[in-house]
Amino acid sequence: MTKPKVLIIGAGFTGVATAHDLALRGCDVTVVERGDICNGTSGRTHGLLHSGGRYAVKDKESAIECIDENTILRKIVPQVIEPNGGLFIAIDEGDLAYADQFIASCEECHISLHELTPQKALQLEPNINPNVLRALIIPDGTFDPLRLALAFAATARHNGAQFCMYTEVEGLLMDGKGSVIGLKTLDRASNSRHELYADVVVNATGAWAGQITGMAGLDAPVKPTPGIMVAYDQRFVQRAVNRLNVPGDGDIVLPQRRMVVVGTTSFDAENPDYIPVTEDQIKIMLDRGSDLIPAIRNAKPRGIYMATRPLVGGGSGRSIARTFKCYDHKESHGIDGFVTITGGKATTLRAMAEKTADMVCSKLGVSTPCVTKETLLLSYRQYYTNPN
Ligand SMILES: Cc1cc2nc3c(=O)[nH]c(=O)nc-3n(C[C@H](O)[C@H](O)[C@H](O)COP(=O)(O)OP(=O)(O)OC[C@H]3O[C@@H](n4cnc5c(N)ncnc54)[C@H](O)[C@@H]3O)c2cc1C
């Protein structure tokens, strides 16, 4: 029997996780990506495996998604995660005033939390601000972004998915009834143009999703929302250190390999390909980062980079919810064969893929259930050692 054919545009977290899910459900999957794995936002993410604590007060839907998926990812892909925990610290009266609301909200969202004395917090993390007034531990973690994506891609490939890298989508192929039936692509390695056909096309291009829906004459379902990160050349802390307050700029310091990375900002942008790194944003990272870890003030910057969140919903910057949305363009615009998934976070990649694959399978009449919650992922190395 021929398998139903699905083309996925984009090999970021969302595209590779969706390829993994659909390959397990028996679809013939091809991922089409204009660069390589993690060419877009996923390759420049901060790397916080969110417990949801950061969103618990204002965005409970995202907080619960995060704690649920954090627990699942620790089981299915432990090889790319440092389960090191997150420390929320209060260093002024404003932080102290926020603490009780934070604790109550974490409890409501089932995010486990325990309090340390300031002395104990300083014993665990001697480089945090010595004026710490209150310290709470929650189950944050850190992940290696490239390896996380590669582990999903390796497993998808093992189950038959194909990966067409350096292949840019230039247009959608439509039939006479206005349904999407494939893609017009440019192979950037050979500089040749091709047509690829499928039963369903999935637009998993993150902050670029509006450019792809634009090819079908549809409005952007996504708001590109960039942020800066600055890496410093010493691993000052072993846990993710967060400011115990309303989420703001530069209020998370994350250990990554032998560095710490301070992030981030959140503002609106038009074009995700051209996001300038500005001096004022670098200064915010330095000032706010050194409020949490004073030694950052004299540390050597190792890298400064921007990435663009693909957010959905109303508002702007930090007021936009961090949840995700999946669109069947037949329901919203009468265009069949075309699905867009956008929004969300790295931490929720598996759940985003499940929702998308459910939608694709229902369009294709495939009834195989999702098994990604229980499927252990292969080593990220196998993406390269086991090509199909
Ligand atoms: C500053 C910042 C910090 C963040 N920190 C965290 C964090 O700590 N923890 C967390 O959980 N989440 C974090 N996130 C969110 C997370 O990084 C994103 O939600 C996630 O990377 C989005 O993945 P994606 O696959 O949807 O998009 P992308 O990774 O951008 O993938 C889209 C892909 O589509 C490709 N593409 C675009 N156009 C075309 C085309 N025409 N043809 C072919 N391919 C195309 C691009 O090359 C790209 O590879 C952060 C985001 C930002 C911006």
Side-chain angles (χ1 to χ4, degrees):
M1 208 176 80
T2 32
K3 294 176 169 184
K5 204 164 170 37
V6 182
L7 286 168
I8 298 173
I9 318 171
F13 294 134
T14 311
V16 297
T18 304
H20 166 57
D21 193 321
L22 285 168
L24 283 171
R25 298 201 209 196
C27 294
D28 174 350
V29 179
T30 302
V31 180
V32 181
E33 162 60 55
R34 69 178 182 173
D36 208 329
I37 301 269
C38 279
N39 179 62
T41 305
S42 303
R44 283 163 285 152
T45 190
H46 206 170
L48 176 64
L49 181 71
H50 283 272
S51 62
R54 186 168 174 79
Y55 306 118
V57 173
K58 278 243 170 96
D59 185 359
K60 292 204 167 33
E61 185 185 4
S62 301
I64 292 167
E65 275 165 16
C66 285
I67 188 60
D68 289 351
E69 292 303 312
N70 173 315
T71 310
I72 294 168
L73 290 179
R74 284 168 190 257
K75 287 189 201 136
I76 66 169
V77 65
Q79 63 273 31
V80 307
I81 291 171
E82 273 194 73
N84 37 11
L87 195 56
F88 275 70
I89 60 173
I91 54 177
D92 67 17
E93 292 298 319
D95 298 346
L96 280 182
Y98 183 75
D100 287 342
Q101 197 186 359
F102 177 79
I103 294 169
S105 300
C106 284
E107 278 167 8
E108 256 181 78
C109 299
H110 314 292
I111 300 164
S112 67
L113 174 147
H114 72 270
E115 181 147 13
L116 302 175
T117 61
Q119 294 75 13
K120 181 71 188 164
L122 281 161
Q123 222 176 5
L124 283 181
E125 295 290 1
N127 285 316
I128 60 171
N129 190 323
N131 300 321
V132 54
L133 300 168
R134 220 171 156 181
L136 303 162
I137 290 259
I138 60 165
D140 282 343
T142 50
F143 61 84
D144 180 305
L146 183 57
R147 290 176 181 179
L148 176 63
L150 285 174
F152 275 91
T155 316
R157 198 173 229 187
H158 176 77
N159 291 315
Q162 307 277 330
F163 286 80
C164 293
M165 299 292 105
Y166 301 100
T167 302
E168 178 149 9
V169 171
E170 294 188 314
L172 302 174
L173 292 167
M174 318 281 284
D175 68 6
K177 293 179 238 147
S179 300
V180 174
I181 53 167
L183 300 173
K184 296 180 198 168
T185 62
L186 168 67
D187 180 332
R188 296 171 77 177
S190 63
N191 203 24
S192 54
R193 291 197 156 78
H194 302 271
E195 292 187 345
L196 304 175
Y197 290 86
D199 299 300
V200 175
V201 168
V202 177
N203 173 14
T205 52
W208 291 268
Q211 294 181 6
I212 302 294
T213 55
M215 294 173 186
L218 308 178
D219 281 346
V222 62
K223 197 163 238 177
T225 313
I228 190 174
M229 282 148 293
V230 182
Y232 293 92
D233 209 359
Q234 201 174 323
R235 190 170 159 116
F236 292 112
V237 285
Q238 305 311 317
R239 292 159 187 78
V241 177
N242 298 257
R243 185 82 181 250
L244 181 54
N245 211 319
V246 178
D249 293 345
D251 61 354
I252 307 180
V253 181
L254 218 66
Q256 282 284 9
R257 304 203 181 176
R258 62 187 178 82
M259 301 169 288
V260 289
V261 184
V262 184
T264 175
T265 44
S266 192
F267 56 97
D268 297 343
E270 286 297 316
N271 186 347
D273 277 318
Y274 299 100
I275 308 293
V277 170
T278 55
E279 285 303 322
D280 59 325
Q281 297 220 11
I282 298 171
K283 185 170 181 314
I284 292 174
M285 294 307 103
L286 178 64
D287 291 345
R288 305 269 166 83
S290 41
D291 285 345
L292 292 169
I293 318 282
I296 284 176
R297 176 71 59 198
N298 300 313
K300 194 169 128 211
R302 176 84 194 282
I304 298 166
Y305 49 105
M306 279 280 193
T308 308
R309 297 173 192 83
L311 299 186
V312 287
S316 71
R318 255 178 230 293
S319 72
I320 310 180
R322 264 40 177 178
T323 189
F324 59 88
K325 245 187 166 155
C326 197
Y327 303 82
D328 177 347
H329 293 291
K330 180 165 187 207
E331 279 172 21
S332 49
H333 307 93
I335 297 179
D336 206 0
F338 188 33
V339 164
T340 293
I341 168 73
T342 191
K345 310 206 59 66
T347 305
T348 57
L349 81 170
R350 193 215 59 83
M352 294 169 72
E354 177 176 350
K355 184 95 180 267
T356 311
D358 282 349
M359 187 177 274
V360 170
C361 286
S362 119
K363 293 176 78 61
L364 293 169
V366 172
S367 56
T368 316
C370 176
V371 290
T372 57
K373 278 185 191 164
E374 304 87 37
T375 305
L376 303 187
L377 298 186
L378 296 177
S379 160
Y380 56 88
R381 291 191 181 89
Q382 285 180 252
Y383 177 75
Y384 296 107
T385 55
N386 283 349
N388 53 18

